[in-house]
Amino acid sequence: MGQSIRPSQFITTYGPGAILEGPNGPRVINDIAQSDILKFKLVEELEIGDQRLSESLLQGAGIIRIPTNAELQLAETDEVYATKPFPSWSLCIKRNHNKLYRYQFNSFVGCPDCGNLKSSYEAWQKSRREAIRFVLACPNGHLDDVNWVKLVRHKKSSCSPKYLLWKGGGGALKNVSIACPDCGGSFNLGSAYATEHECKGRYPEKGQDTPGCDEPARMMQRGASNLRVAEIISSLTIPNRDTRLHQLLAHSSVINIIYISDIKSKEDLLVKLKALVDRRRLQANIYEEISRYDDSTILNAISDVCEPINVQNELDYRVAEFNALQVAATRGAPLYPSSTPGSPPLFEVVRKDIKTFAGPNGKKLRITPVSRLRVVMVQTGYRRLDLINGQSVDTVYHEGIKDWYPGVETFGEGIFIDFAPLDTQNDQLIMSGSEYSNWIKGFDNYETDNEENSAVKKEQLHPVFVWWHTLSHRLISSLSIDSGYSAASIRERIYIKFDEENENIVSGGILLYTTQPGGDGTLGGLIGLVPEFNKVLYRAFRGVHTCSNDPLCGEENFGPNKLNGAACYACQFVSETSCEHRNLTLDRNLLLKNLP
């Protein structure tokens, strides 16, 4: 029986190369090519359509989802996604045993002191439950077993023991020594843990090695948080590609037909799609669902998906979302109700529900409830050990001429917050103070200090971004009190926009949202707080001047080799599932001295 994880966990926490703790010991998750999920369904049947994301930030790659046991009509205990046992060494800690050993295939013996068991399977299971907790990893993304035999300083050059002796214990690694039973040679575990080791270039999740890795490997505990950190790109579905029909047309097989054909009518499209269904290149249910829309609706949607996507980088991508949210906060969305029964919009803002509230200094904040939204998250890769300068290992699956990344689509609700447009010119907050000067200096000198600030993009050092990011974290903590959602389940998207004619004119905003897989979304716990959002704002601003770690926390300033101002676990940091920016670029003193 394997360990169960949700498809969303596969993207946000686990994924290829992660070590999963299962009932039969730890296992490494394979990459998609070795996952066996394509034995159950074709890649086209697992596709998530997001044209804007695929054709811009993913450079034409598709998005593939992980199927569930329920979808495949399999028992919860059946394996859907293949994994491998890892690490291969085990430690028997029974009294007076303390043997470090490696199980031999088909053997009835695991630990030599435990003797023969009833079957080789039982011996293998025992070895898996006793798997050693140490592994080797390097900043290039490689992962390997520790070569325990080689670490021993053998007294005989021909020594090749079948097991090793684990001596000592207690709360420190330096109290443990590992010895060879044949020659008596040994080494200290604490010293080995702090020493650099040769990297063999192994990718157990890929089933391959890349010889010649010149990065030293470090011994790590297999449950360490920095052993693998996922790199995630997320996308908000926005107008004018925000209906179910647009989503259907974004399917790779359908969009390719649209691009290469001159579609003049609904009938033209359906004839070409029927040919794809006959060749099993398109699911019949997609064809049937598209056929339910009328001719004009289909032609208008085709016109939308054929519009060029002018995105140069992630900042442009976010600015498009920011513009769509601001338009919706002014006029509502969609502008016209859906005429198709059973086809709710994927992006919805009810104009009459938008509220404005004054901050502590009288500046008005516009609070826009987004009652429906769709978010697609894609895991593009992961890093090990060095999360800033380490090499990213991609999670791409190559299928013929097209690449695919694992992803998940979720549905839910959110609250968009920006400054009321009639409050001040350009929706700007005029900031001042030493904290503002420090951050704007870091922003201006980004290229010069890029080696120190490579953990963040340039725009994330701008005081406007830092201000909104800091406010976002305080609002997440405040919302969790009354919304019914824990702080860990509320996510953020920080927006910053530079005026095209004057870079000194900068606006910003935040979207706080919660989503879950499935078409029904969430139950309105967030947007239900909008009518009395002044209470949420009051709690967020009330304690900004204090922290239980003051005066140490309050005296911190942004500067060289430091990507936070006054911010710590007691006052500003939130869960890694909530913060998109690893709790960097935060400063409550900047917020305190520039309250709205």
Side-chain angles (χ1 to χ4, degrees):
M1 183 178 70
Q3 176 69 20
S4 297
I5 62 172
R6 297 187 300 274
S8 57
Q9 285 181 298
F10 185 92
I11 302 304
T12 57
T13 309
Y14 299 105
I19 296 178
L20 184 66
E21 300 295 333
N24 290 322
R27 303 179 70 90
V28 66
I29 299 177
N30 289 343
D31 65 4
I32 292 177
Q34 301 186 78
S35 68
D36 292 343
I37 62 172
L38 298 180
K39 292 181 179 179
F40 298 102
K41 288 197 172 188
L42 299 174
V43 66
E44 292 83 4
E45 296 178 292
L46 298 173
E47 180 178 0
I48 296 174
D50 193 310
Q51 183 195 8
R52 193 170 71 98
L53 180 58
S54 291
E55 294 185 9
S56 56
L57 299 183
L58 296 184
Q59 300 179 340
I63 306 167
I64 185 173
R65 61 183 176 84
I66 309 302
T68 64
N69 290 60
E71 174 187 354
L72 300 174
Q73 298 182 341
L74 298 175
E76 286 296 317
T77 54
D78 289 347
E79 184 181 273
V80 170
Y81 199 103
T83 58
K84 294 187 183 83
F86 184 86
S88 59
W89 283 83
S90 305
L91 174 64
C92 180
I93 56 174
K94 287 185 178 179
R95 187 176 180 182
N96 299 324
H97 286 199
N98 295 323
K99 297 296 189 296
L100 182 61
Y101 66 95
R102 195 170 190 169
Y103 175 75
Q104 301 298 316
F105 181 68
N106 266 347
S107 173
F108 282 53
V109 179
C111 167
D113 286 359
C114 290
N116 283 359
L117 299 178
K118 294 179 181 179
S119 66
S120 59
Y121 179 70
E122 186 176 334
W124 176 82
Q125 279 194 312
K126 180 180 184 299
S127 72
R128 290 295 79 220
R129 291 193 297 269
E130 296 174 343
I132 192 71
R133 66 179 187 272
F134 299 102
V135 297
L136 284 184
C138 90
N140 282 344
H142 299 125
L143 182 67
D144 203 352
D145 279 291
V146 177
N147 193 336
W148 299 101
V149 173
K150 186 177 179 180
L151 288 178
V152 175
R153 298 181 181 90
H154 294 282
K155 297 178 181 179
K156 299 178 183 177
S157 59
S158 60
C159 215
S160 181
K162 294 183 178 180
Y163 63 90
L164 297 172
L165 305 176
W166 186 281
K167 298 181 178 180
L173 297 181
K174 65 181 180 180
N175 297 330
V176 176
S177 63
I178 297 174
C180 172
D182 296 340
C183 69
S186 66
F187 71 93
N188 181 269
L189 182 58
S191 298
Y193 196 85
T195 303
E196 293 181 343
H197 303 267
E198 179 187 3
C199 179
K200 298 293 187 180
R202 185 183 177 198
Y203 290 113
E205 68 274 23
K206 298 176 183 289
Q208 65 185 39
D209 300 340
T210 54
C213 178
D214 55 1
E215 285 287 340
R218 301 298 298 262
M219 192 184 297
M220 301 287 296
Q221 297 203 45
R222 67 176 192 244
S225 60
N226 65 335
L227 184 60
R228 183 190 184 277
V229 175
E231 295 189 319
I232 298 170
I233 295 176
S234 57
S235 172
L236 189 69
T237 300
I238 58 173
N240 53 355
R241 295 175 171 89
D242 61 328
T243 70
R244 172 62 178 167
L245 178 57
H246 289 92
Q247 187 182 352
L248 294 169
L249 297 179
H251 190 282
S252 58
S253 298
V254 179
I255 198 71
N256 288 339
I257 287 293
I258 292 173
Y259 283 158
I260 66 175
S261 306
D262 185 17
I263 305 296
K264 296 294 186 181
S265 66
K266 171 182 175 179
E267 188 62 28
D268 285 348
L269 178 64
L270 293 181
V271 167
K272 296 181 182 299
L273 296 186
K274 184 63 168 63
L276 292 178
V277 173
D278 293 341
R279 298 200 305 268
R280 299 189 65 187
R281 297 298 298 173
L282 182 69
Q283 295 168 259
N285 63 310
I286 293 179
Y287 169 84
E288 292 168 1
E289 193 170 349
I290 292 175
S291 67
R292 298 191 191 112
Y293 292 86
D294 60 50
D295 196 285
S296 61
T297 303
I298 289 177
L299 292 179
N300 287 336
I302 289 176
S303 176
D304 289 338
V305 300
C306 286
E307 286 186 10
I309 301 173
N310 298 316
V311 172
Q312 302 298 322
N313 49 48
E314 193 170 354
L315 178 59
D316 291 344
Y317 198 85
R318 290 295 181 97
V319 167
E321 292 182 4
F322 184 49
N323 290 339
L325 285 164
Q326 287 197 308
V327 169
T330 303
R331 300 186 295 178
L335 293 178
Y336 305 101
S338 172
S339 59
T340 308
S343 179
L346 302 177
F347 181 81
E348 182 179 58
V349 173
V350 180
R351 184 180 178 185
K352 65 181 180 63
D353 293 339
I354 300 169
K355 306 292 181 183
T356 58
F357 296 97
N361 290 330
K363 187 169 178 63
K364 292 182 180 178
L365 290 161
R366 178 170 59 178
I367 314 300
T368 304
V370 184
S371 51
R372 289 181 184 272
L373 57 83
R374 172 182 180 256
V375 176
V376 175
M377 291 187 291
V378 175
Q379 187 180 121
T380 59
Y382 58 89
R383 297 177 191 266
R384 300 196 192 276
L385 305 189
D386 189 341
L387 308 184
I388 297 174
N389 299 313
Q391 179 177 311
S392 176
V393 181
D394 67 51
T395 55
V396 68
Y397 166 62
H398 302 281
E399 186 252 348
I401 60 173
K402 184 160 184 170
D403 292 340
W404 298 85
Y405 286 98
V408 64
E409 65 176 337
T410 57
F411 303 85
E413 58 181 300
I415 299 175
F416 174 63
I417 304 162
D418 66 344
F419 289 124
L422 301 179
D423 192 23
T424 57
Q425 187 177 8
N426 301 319
D427 308 337
Q428 282 189 288
L429 177 67
I430 306 302
M431 291 192 281
S432 61
S434 59
E435 289 77 17
Y436 170 79
S437 300
N438 285 341
W439 286 103
I440 200 69
K441 181 180 178 181
F443 173 79
D444 292 336
N445 297 336
Y446 178 82
E447 284 75 16
T448 304
D449 303 334
N450 191 36
E451 184 175 349
E452 297 173 353
N453 296 327
S454 58
V456 298
K457 298 179 175 65
K458 180 178 180 178
E459 64 269 13
Q460 295 170 14
L461 295 178
H462 197 282
V464 170
F465 185 95
V466 178
W467 192 92
W468 282 106
H469 191 200
T470 306
L471 176 60
S472 169
H473 281 216
R474 301 198 67 83
L475 288 173
I476 286 173
S477 299
S478 181
L479 282 168
S480 65
I481 296 174
D482 294 327
S483 66
Y485 299 110
S486 68
S489 64
I490 302 174
R491 296 180 64 88
E492 68 179 7
R493 289 178 82 77
I494 314 299
Y495 297 103
I496 184 172
K497 178 182 177 182
F498 298 89
D499 188 88
E500 294 181 0
E501 297 180 359
N502 185 351
E503 194 181 60
N504 293 322
I505 299 177
V506 186
S507 55
I510 51 179
L511 174 69
L512 304 177
Y513 66 95
T514 184
T515 57
Q516 65 182 21
D520 294 333
T522 50
L523 299 176
L526 274 187
I527 63 174
L529 297 179
V530 170
E532 298 183 349
F533 205 78
N534 57 322
K535 296 179 181 178
V536 178
L537 291 170
Y538 173 75
R539 282 195 299 264
F541 290 124
R542 181 178 56 187
V544 70
H545 62 287
T546 61
C547 172
S548 59
N549 282 334
D550 282 340
L552 296 177
C553 176
E555 292 175 353
E556 292 289 338
N557 292 303
F558 166 75
N561 299 313
K562 186 165 174 46
L563 291 172
N564 273 327
C568 69
Y569 288 97
C571 62
Q572 280 297 143
F573 292 178
V574 295
S575 166
E576 62 182 14
T577 60
S578 298
C579 181
E580 288 189 309
H581 307 289
R582 299 176 182 168
N583 283 314
L584 300 176
T585 63
L586 298 164
D587 192 345
R588 61 184 172 88
N589 282 340
L590 178 71
L591 177 62
L592 175 64
K593 296 179 182 179
N594 297 279
L595 291 174

